[in-house]
């Protein structure tokens, strides 16, 4: 006699439901998600050009980390406070645009990167950002880091073994 007499019935009913849920999950359209993240990154950058600080904050995940200074900025409030001054004045002090976006096969995380230009248009830095899909079509930035600009991506590197 089994210790859990109702367990076989629960398993018999639950297994088809679980399998049905898995079968009904739509495959991820990676190309569409890549376009979606690219458009999101461009919209994020446009907040700087428009001098739209509130719009900028809307793209930040609550637990965002921006790592580019002496200490990482942890959390939406800290990032927003540190970036507030960049939105003062009529001209944006810098701009950025994605030139590379990749999305996980699961469609839950993406990475974007590209050049950062100073107010005169000179490339000074390269950004690297990680985006998380928080709900269908809604991406928020969770990690951001700037790196000195270089032509190192243009050089072919041997594969690691």
């Amino acid at each position: 006699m089994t210790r859990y007499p109702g367990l076989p019935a629960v398993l018999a009913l639950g297994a088809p439901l679980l399998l049905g849920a898995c079968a009904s999950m739509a495959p991820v359209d990676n190309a569409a998600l890549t376009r979606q993240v690219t458009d999101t990154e461009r919209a994020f950058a446009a907040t700087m050009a428009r001098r739209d600080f509130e719009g900028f904050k809307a793209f930040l995940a609550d637990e965002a980390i921006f790592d580019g200074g002496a200490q990482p900025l942890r959390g939406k409030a800290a990032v927003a406070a540190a970036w507030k001054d960049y939105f003062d004045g009529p001209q944006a002090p810098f701009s950025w645009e994605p030139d590379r976006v990749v999305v996980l096969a699961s469609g839950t995380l993406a990475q974007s990167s590209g050049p950062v230009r100073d107010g005169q248009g000179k490339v000074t830095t390269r950004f690297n950002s990680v985006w998380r899909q928080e709900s269908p079509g809604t991406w928020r930035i969770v990690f951001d880091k700037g790196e000195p600009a270089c032509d190192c991506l243009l050089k072919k590197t041997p594969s690691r073994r």
Side-chain angles (χ1 to χ4, degrees):
M1 186 160 200
T2 178
R3 292 181 78 167
Y4 307 103
L7 186 59
V10 169
L11 291 175
L13 291 173
L17 292 174
L18 180 60
L19 291 173
C22 291
S24 67
M25 293 172 61
V28 172
D29 183 346
N30 201 273
L33 291 177
T34 299
R35 285 188 301 275
Q36 200 175 76
V37 173
T38 301
D39 292 345
T40 300
E41 180 70 64
R42 286 187 177 130
F44 183 51
T47 65
M48 178 65 73
R50 286 192 320 267
R51 323 305 292 131
D52 179 7
F53 182 62
E54 293 302 314
F56 170 84
K57 292 190 306 185
F59 287 95
L60 302 174
D62 289 338
E63 61 184 339
I65 296 176
F66 277 41
D67 186 13
Q71 294 292 319
L73 302 170
R74 293 182 172 274
K76 182 176 185 171
V79 172
W83 277 63
K84 174 82 172 93
D85 290 347
Y86 293 134
F87 287 85
D88 291 342
Q91 292 294 108
F94 55 89
S95 63
W96 69 93
E97 62 184 316
D99 63 9
R100 184 174 178 92
V101 174
V102 292
V103 180
L104 286 180
S106 65
T108 58
L109 290 174
Q111 180 185 28
S112 60
S113 60
V116 177
R117 300 177 188 280
D118 66 16
Q120 289 71 46
K122 179 184 176 206
V123 174
T124 60
T125 311
R126 186 163 182 84
F127 76 87
N128 294 284
S129 301
V130 175
W131 295 85
R132 177 176 58 208
Q133 186 168 208
E134 294 191 344
S135 63
T138 301
W139 293 85
R140 295 249 178 349
I141 193 166
V142 289
F143 290 103
D144 185 81
K145 183 169 179 69
E147 301 287 337
C150 70
D151 65 354
C152 51
L153 292 178
L154 301 176
K155 297 175 183 174
K156 194 169 191 172
T157 57
S159 62
R160 294 182 182 181
R161 295 182 194 251

